Amino acid sequence: MALHRPGRLSHARTALRLRAATRPRSVVLIDVHGELTAGDLQGHLQLLERRGAERPRLGELPPWAPLRQVLVTALAGHGHLDLRSSGTTGAPRVLERGPLTAPQLRTLTDLARRIGVRKGARVATAIPGVHAHGLLLALAALSAGSPLVDVSHLRVVDRVALLHRTSPRMLVGTPVHLADILAADRELSGHVPLRIDRIVSTTDVLPDELRADLARHWHARVHDVYGSVETGTLTVDGRPLHGVEIRVRDGVLRTRTTFTRRRWLVTDHGEIDEQGAVHVTARADAPDASPGMLRDPRGVVRLLQSQDGIRSVHLRFVPDEELGRRTVAHVMLEEEEHEEGRVITPHGVRALVRDRLGASSVPREVRISSRGR
């Protein structure tokens, strides 16, 4: 059987180290479908091996793939990682990074340690697993033996309900995900808010105001994680991870990591202060023209109009002092009951567009109204 081929087996063992849990009944993931144990995960991998099927590809999974499918695909690929970008400056793209190496595992382990992941403590993630940051953070948590709670692709009410039911110690998301969950927790949880010790924001710029709101509401420590699909995760709160080298020349950051195969790559505009902390000031690959406009406005309209509860969508472009012009999405709901407003929120609309179409397709502002109002 393919399972006994020495080369394939060694790769599989390297990948399976990411499971961390050694007992078959240990839970590695919880989502709306229930619990996935280490034994279940091992069974899925053995089944794929026995079928002798061609190696599954992460890059072929749809944007809405659940995290359990992503993890099985990643581990069945014998450590091969296909990392999908967040689509900040264009359509999301896939970069194949080859088999996961021991130095890369050490970088992921350092990431888990720096954000405070502890063995047995649950980590909830709102970032789709197909995205590079979502996958790498999930693998970092598993490498530390921390069960994952998948709240990606859920309506905000379902996200809050699953978070209450599972009581994770940590919540991971982009700023728009975190803002959506924060607003929902304030509205839906009443006098019993979620208890979360640490918040991890990644991929996009974390506004100072949102960071303060997150820390104040949950009495949590907030970490800002920076990186790219080309380089992998680079810093936590401005401090480079193990195996990451960052230099600055003429205001441009240059990086060499275990994920770049030790090649130097230009990342973004930024600076390094006297204490060695890295500060990103602007995206190096950001388009100069019309930064407030959308990459795929027709795709945004089609996506939103396909969602239950949305009657119509209209995009409007308005003057903006900073950007020149910016996009405002007017979303009309099918019903006017207040309950529907809890399901479809401005933050939730922006998070949905970001997850499915990429960051460059997210409207700068979303206004929601109900029929008859």
Side-chain angles (χ1 to χ4, degrees):
M1 290 188 300
L3 185 62
H4 297 292
R5 294 176 188 171
R8 292 169 65 90
L9 182 59
S10 62
H11 285 308
R13 282 175 175 166
T14 300
L16 287 172
R17 289 176 56 192
L18 295 167
R19 284 196 289 114
T22 57
R23 292 178 297 178
R25 295 184 180 180
S26 298
V27 175
V28 295
L29 182 140
I30 306 171
D31 58 16
V32 293
H33 302 293
E35 296 181 346
L36 180 72
T37 67
D40 296 332
L41 186 57
Q42 179 69 35
H44 287 305
L45 297 174
Q46 290 178 342
L47 181 61
L48 288 176
E49 288 281 4
R50 288 168 182 165
R51 287 177 176 174
E54 185 178 349
R55 178 175 68 88
R57 300 296 297 268
L58 284 166
E60 296 172 355
L61 295 179
W64 54 87
L67 186 55
R68 63 171 59 209
Q69 182 181 8
V70 174
L71 290 177
V72 170
T73 303
L75 297 184
H78 306 298
H80 282 77
L81 296 182
D82 299 331
L83 300 180
R84 184 178 302 178
S85 72
S86 61
T88 303
T89 57
R93 63 191 186 282
V94 177
L95 279 77
E96 183 173 353
R97 284 307 183 201
L100 197 62
T101 65
Q104 290 170 350
L105 281 172
R106 287 195 287 271
T107 299
L108 294 177
T109 300
D110 188 40
L111 170 61
R113 180 186 63 82
R114 296 274 295 279
I115 61 179
V117 173
R118 293 205 307 260
K119 186 174 182 179
R122 293 174 176 176
V123 174
T125 176
I127 307 177
V130 296
H131 290 181
H133 287 281
L135 175 59
L136 292 179
L137 280 162
L139 295 179
L142 286 182
S143 70
S146 185
L148 291 159
V149 179
D150 182 15
V151 297
S152 62
H153 311 303
L154 298 180
R155 299 182 307 168
V156 67
V157 289
D158 297 324
R159 278 181 173 168
V160 172
L162 185 57
L163 290 171
H164 273 289
R165 190 163 68 249
T166 55
S167 300
R169 179 176 176 269
M170 180 180 296
L171 174 62
V172 178
T174 68
V176 69
H177 293 129
L178 298 174
D180 189 30
I181 295 172
L182 173 64
D185 192 39
R186 284 171 169 170
E187 180 181 359
L188 302 176
S189 298
H191 300 294
V192 188
L194 294 167
R195 297 186 62 182
I196 300 175
D197 296 333
R198 298 206 185 208
I199 307 292
V200 178
S201 175
T202 185
T203 305
D204 299 331
V205 176
L206 176 63
D208 291 338
E209 183 179 358
L210 176 58
R211 182 170 192 156
D213 287 343
L214 293 168
R216 182 168 48 249
H217 178 74
W218 282 310
H219 304 287
R221 182 173 179 179
V222 181
H223 295 287
D224 192 0
V225 174
Y226 163 64
S228 72
V229 66
E230 294 84 4
T231 63
T233 307
L234 295 173
T235 67
V236 175
D237 300 324
R239 302 292 179 179
L241 292 171
H242 177 84
V244 172
E245 298 178 72
I246 301 179
R247 297 175 182 174
V248 61
R249 179 185 299 174
D250 298 327
V252 176
L253 299 174
R254 304 175 69 87
T255 304
R256 183 167 67 177
T257 78
T258 57
F259 287 94
T260 68
R261 299 174 183 174
R262 309 310 300 169
R263 291 181 294 115
W264 287 96
L265 296 181
V266 172
T267 53
D268 297 314
H269 296 286
E271 57 188 16
I272 302 176
D273 64 23
E274 296 179 354
Q275 288 72 43
V278 178
H279 302 277
V280 180
T281 57
R283 290 296 303 263
D285 55 356
D288 295 328
S290 303
M293 306 300 287
L294 301 187
R295 180 190 63 83
D296 185 11
R298 292 183 179 179
V300 171
V301 172
R302 287 195 300 268
L303 171 65
L304 295 181
Q305 288 186 337
S306 70
Q307 303 302 304
D308 292 338
I310 293 182
R311 180 188 180 194
S312 64
V313 178
H314 174 67
L315 299 182
R316 188 163 61 94
F317 309 105
V318 301
D320 186 278
E321 293 183 1
E322 180 181 354
L323 302 172
R325 289 193 298 171
R326 61 186 171 88
T327 306
V328 179
H330 294 267
V331 178
M332 178 170 287
L333 306 181
E334 288 285 3
E335 303 294 339
E336 60 180 336
E337 285 85 355
H338 181 63
E339 287 295 323
E340 189 68 33
R342 292 181 175 180
V343 175
I344 301 175
T345 66
H347 289 306
V349 167
R350 299 182 75 240
L352 173 67
V353 174
R354 191 193 187 289
D355 291 347
R356 300 290 180 88
L357 301 178
S360 62
S361 292
V362 177
R364 293 280 172 166
E365 182 182 351
V366 176
R367 300 176 184 177
I368 293 180
S369 60
S370 297
R371 184 171 55 185
R373 289 187 178 182

